[in-house]
């Protein structure tokens, strides 16, 4: 009886926190907008925003537009990242796994010690991680081979005052002019740089440290890089990716959806439904993968790479 009461009290407490959190967030957002409008009305701030309109000039020879390979990379990255977040949360919260997987200790990957049995959810998470890393390596090579890196890597210190200017414009609801086909604003540039060159590597090195692939007997290495540090990094990085995706999708849809989607999926700067159609198809694929990522469908795939058991 007391356990039931405790659970009921906990549920009421969560609903109560949610009840007060939502209006508190809305009030905070309204206050931020009002404060930003007041600040941007000051003469000194207006001069600052005139000197720094919100974007930095790109280096000479920077490419214009988005090549086809970038559209494919964008889809694959979104597809894999969505499932990585889903399975990462499952690994963190699942108490009764849908099965267990043990690697076949033969072929290309062969170790002296016996393979470790892991949950089916963790196997899928690690498999997705490996594919995401492979996709990221291909992306990095193409990024620097085609010059597209100049669009997301800061090349001038004025990116920081321009980013502040862009942030003030967003906060005051007087959003900066979007022209992503040619040049991102400074805030977007810094966000993409942080995601590609900081958050993604942090996700990789922290995930590798917590995985079964990390050498357990490397005493010196483990002391230098404790698993507690990796865990303290890994979850916040996942939260960052979730926040980035939410803000990114919102701004894509709110700042000219057809044109923005045509940039990434249609390969042109036109305002047409081509990019939206491809985007809608990609969303359908991701939704299908989300619902098919369950033990019933994962067991046959996992059995191709190892032994699957119920416990």
């Amino acid at each position: 009886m007391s356990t039931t009461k405790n659970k009921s009290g906990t549920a009421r407490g969560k609903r109560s926190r949610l009840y007060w959190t939502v209006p508190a967030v809305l009030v905070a957002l309204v206050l931020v907008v009002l404060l930003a409008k007041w600040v941007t009305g000051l003469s000194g701030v207006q001069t600052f925003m005139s000197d720094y309109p919100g974007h930095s000039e790109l280096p000479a020879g920077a490419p214009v537009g988005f090549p086809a390979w970038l559209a494919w990379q964008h889809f694959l990255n979104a597809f894999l990242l969505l499932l990585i977040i889903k399975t990462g949360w499952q690994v963190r919260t699942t108490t009764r796994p849908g099965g267990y997987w043990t690697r076949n200790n033969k072929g290309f990957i062969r170790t002296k010690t016996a393979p470790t049995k892991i949950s089916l959810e963790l196997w899928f998470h690690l498999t997705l991680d490996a594919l995401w890393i492979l996709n990221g390596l291909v992306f990095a090579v193409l990024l620097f081979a085609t010059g597209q890196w100049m669009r997301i890597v800061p090349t001038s210190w004025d990116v920081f005052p321009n980013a502040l200017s862009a942030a003030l414009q967003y906060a005051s609801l007087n959003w900066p002019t979007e022209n992503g086909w040619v040049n991102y604003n400074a805030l977007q540039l810094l966000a993409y740089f942080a995601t590609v060159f900081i958050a993604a590597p942090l996700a990789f090195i922290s995930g590798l440290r917590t995985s079964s692939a990390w050498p357990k007997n490397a005493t010196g290495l483990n002391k230098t890089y404790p698993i507690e540090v990796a865990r303290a990094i890994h979850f916040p990085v996942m939260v960052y990716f979730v926040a980035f995706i939410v803000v990114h999708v919102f701004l894509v849809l709110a700042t000219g959806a057809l044109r923005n989607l045509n940039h990434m999926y249609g390969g042109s700067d036109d305002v047409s439904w081509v990019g939206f159609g491809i985007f809608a198809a990609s969303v359908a694929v991701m939704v299908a993968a989300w619902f098919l990522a369950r033990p019933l469908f994962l067991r046959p795939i996992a059995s191709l790479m190892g032994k699957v058991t119920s416990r």
Side-chain angles (χ1 to χ4, degrees), residues 158-235:
D158 71 357
V159 68
F160 295 106
N162 274 304
L164 176 58
S165 175
L168 287 171
Q169 292 173 60
Y170 278 122
S172 64
L173 301 184
N174 184 24
W175 289 3
T177 302
E178 295 292 333
N179 192 17
W181 185 255
V182 177
N183 189 9
Y184 294 124
N185 69 55
L187 199 59
Q188 289 174 312
L189 188 153
L190 289 177
Y192 293 141
F193 175 81
T195 302
V196 173
F197 296 105
I198 298 177
L202 282 176
F204 168 64
I205 62 174
S206 60
L208 180 64
R209 177 65 181 89
T210 58
S211 75
S212 57
W214 186 266
K216 295 180 175 59
N217 297 324
T219 307
L221 186 60
N222 291 338
K223 185 177 181 180
T224 303
Y225 185 22
I227 192 170
E228 292 78 13
V229 173
R231 287 172 177 163
I233 294 172
H234 202 62
F235 183 72

Side-chain angles (χ1 to χ4, degrees), residues 56-138:
S56 298
E57 295 298 325
L58 293 177
V64 175
F66 301 90
W69 66 263
L70 193 56
W72 278 103
Q73 283 285 317
H74 190 271
F75 163 70
L76 289 173
N77 187 62
F79 176 82
L80 293 171
L81 197 55
L82 179 70
L83 293 178
I84 285 172
I85 292 171
K86 172 185 171 70
T87 56
W89 184 254
Q90 286 178 329
V91 168
R92 187 179 178 88
T93 59
T94 298
T95 55
R96 298 184 62 182
Y100 293 89
W101 178 84
T102 306
R103 175 176 56 83
N104 290 328
N105 198 19
K106 57 185 179 179
F108 179 72
I109 302 177
R110 185 180 302 176
T111 58
K112 294 180 180 180
T113 57
T116 303
K117 181 170 67 174
I118 60 177
S119 69
L120 196 61
E121 290 80 7
L122 180 57
W123 163 81
F124 191 39
H125 183 68
L126 294 175
T127 302
L128 291 167
D129 284 343
L131 293 173
W132 184 60
I133 292 165
L134 177 61
N135 185 64
L137 291 174
V138 173

